[in-house]
Amino acid sequence: MKKLLLVFSLLLVACANDSYSDLMGKEDDSLVLRWSKAYDDDDIHKSLIGLKWALSYIGAKLPSDLSGIYSNGDRIYVDSKAIGLSENAQVLLNRLHQKIKNSQEYQQQQTIDLGRYVTLLLGASEHYYALTGVPEQLDVLMSRYTLQPEKGYVDNSGVSLEHRIIRFSEQNGLNQVFLSTEINPVNGTVTEYETIELLDNGQLRFGIFDANGIRKNNADPAHSNAGKPAKCMWCHESSIQPLFTVQNNHNGFLPYTDFRDRLLDYRTSHNTLKNNLPMGVDFSQTQQHTFTELLYISFMEPSAERLSREWNLTLTEVQNRLAGLPTHTYDEFPFLGTLYHRKDIESLAPYPGLSVSDHVREQSQTEVNHLN
């Protein structure tokens, strides 16, 4: 009898230890995010959708039951093991999570602001490149594809200040590349390269490379308005974009109408494929990507009301801290109210968070990389 009791006791201890280890393992892989209401119609449901889209941008194949993300009150829990990342991306995301957990914000609050988290994922080009697996060299990226002999010529771009030669591989399911070579139209000198690839979770992956094919954080504003990868995400809206303006015909290139129709065919095929994916992002809801943009915009350009919730201070206390700082409104989203720039108010926070780049979409004087 005593032997049976001893064995039973040892089993209970073993089970308890296993449960504790499992729990601790989940805690090691998870991060707690804090939602702060940013505008009148904002709610945590919209912000959860925005977070899902943000994670899909870095390659997550979110399960349809969203088992890796759940919320409780104003807290959102993300388990990096359960959001459908590749093994390498999961290791890198955990590295970023650990940097976040070591920040003073997380040490004091046991959370990170949701907007800061999305900004760290998408607004730091090196984080985006690492998590999505964009190689450091263009020739490595292009070695994965076989380009078609046909190519298009764009001499009336809405993005590039130069001319563009567009080459592409055949679309094989959710596998394709588009290579844009930016050239000086006078002498044909290459100024930089930009790539778009189809990811198997339905999203697009963007790369920007200099004239020598070396990856860089943003397009050169002297030659292009493309900005950083996050600006590409915003502009493309997860789709292969058509030609919005008429182009001239050039010898050796597809006629404008043929090139236009080819891009439209690829766009239609890609949209059909991604809309049928059984994933946590509903691509048929074409404007839901806006909830991601609102997360990082309202963080990078917060109102005093949003800061009051983020900092857990009264509105009067926040306004006193911000006295004398310049304000502005956001033309695209005026309902966000009277706003401040994050770089102007970051030093006034009651606790410092993990640093972010100066801008999400545009070239930044300070560009962070916490994965080094």
Side-chain angles (χ1 to χ4, degrees), residues 133-178:
V134 177
E136 294 183 358
Q137 296 182 321
L138 178 62
D139 59 355
V140 174
L141 186 153
M142 296 306 301
S143 68
R144 303 169 179 170
Y145 303 95
T146 300
L147 294 176
Q148 296 292 297
E150 303 94 342
K151 50 190 174 180
Y153 196 97
V154 177
D155 55 14
N156 186 19
S157 172
V159 176
S160 178
L161 305 179
E162 310 290 355
H163 287 190
R164 290 178 146 182
I165 296 173
I166 309 294
R167 301 198 64 187
F168 41 86
S169 65
E170 190 53 75
Q171 192 173 98
N172 180 21
L174 290 169
N175 182 275
Q176 188 176 30
V177 69
F178 294 86

Side-chain angles (χ1 to χ4, degrees), residues 263-316:
L263 290 179
L264 287 172
D265 287 344
Y266 285 149
R267 175 185 172 90
T268 300
S269 175
H270 175 234
N271 285 345
T272 299
L273 288 169
K274 71 181 184 182
N275 286 343
N276 288 324
L277 289 174
M279 302 226 179
V281 167
D282 186 354
F283 287 106
S284 68
Q285 301 299 312
T286 56
Q287 291 306 305
Q288 285 191 346
H289 67 87
T290 305
F291 295 137
T292 302
E293 289 143 20
L294 285 169
L295 286 175
Y296 67 68
I297 290 170
S298 64
F299 172 78
M300 294 297 289
E301 302 178 46
S303 65
E305 291 79 8
R306 190 215 188 273
L307 288 171
S308 173
R309 301 180 186 103
E310 176 188 340
W311 291 348
N312 196 27
L313 297 174
T314 67
L315 181 58
T316 300

Side-chain angles (χ1 to χ4, degrees), residues 6 23 47 118 202 246 300 307 348:
L6 178 59
L23 177 61
S47 295
V118 170
V246 176
M300 294 297 289
L307 288 171
L348 303 175

Side-chain angles (χ1 to χ4, degrees), residues 35-73:
W35 173 71
S36 297
K37 186 172 182 175
Y39 51 93
D40 287 345
D41 292 334
D42 193 14
D43 59 48
I44 197 165
H45 173 69
K46 294 176 181 176
S47 295
L48 280 168
I49 293 173
L51 174 61
K52 289 188 294 182
W53 278 76
L55 292 169
S56 74
Y57 284 133
I58 63 168
K61 297 179 185 176
L62 296 162
S64 56
D65 62 0
L66 296 177
S67 55
I69 306 171
Y70 69 94
S71 64
N72 183 14

Side-chain angles (χ1 to χ4, degrees), residues 157-162 164 182 191-192 194 208 218-236 361-363:
S157 172
V159 176
S160 178
L161 305 179
E162 310 290 355
R164 290 178 146 182
E182 314 286 301
T191 58
E192 63 188 18
E194 296 170 13
I208 304 169
N218 56 269
D220 186 343
H223 301 292
S224 174
N225 292 319
K228 294 166 63 174
K231 189 173 184 181
C232 302
M233 295 175 220
W234 164 72
C235 183
H236 278 266
R361 296 180 185 171
E362 306 294 348
Q363 180 180 19

Side-chain angles (χ1 to χ4, degrees), residues 202-219:
Q203 288 290 6
L204 306 179
R205 174 167 55 201
F206 302 95
I208 304 169
F209 301 83
D210 67 17
N212 296 314
I214 306 301
R215 195 183 70 195
K216 58 181 185 172
N217 289 326
N218 56 269

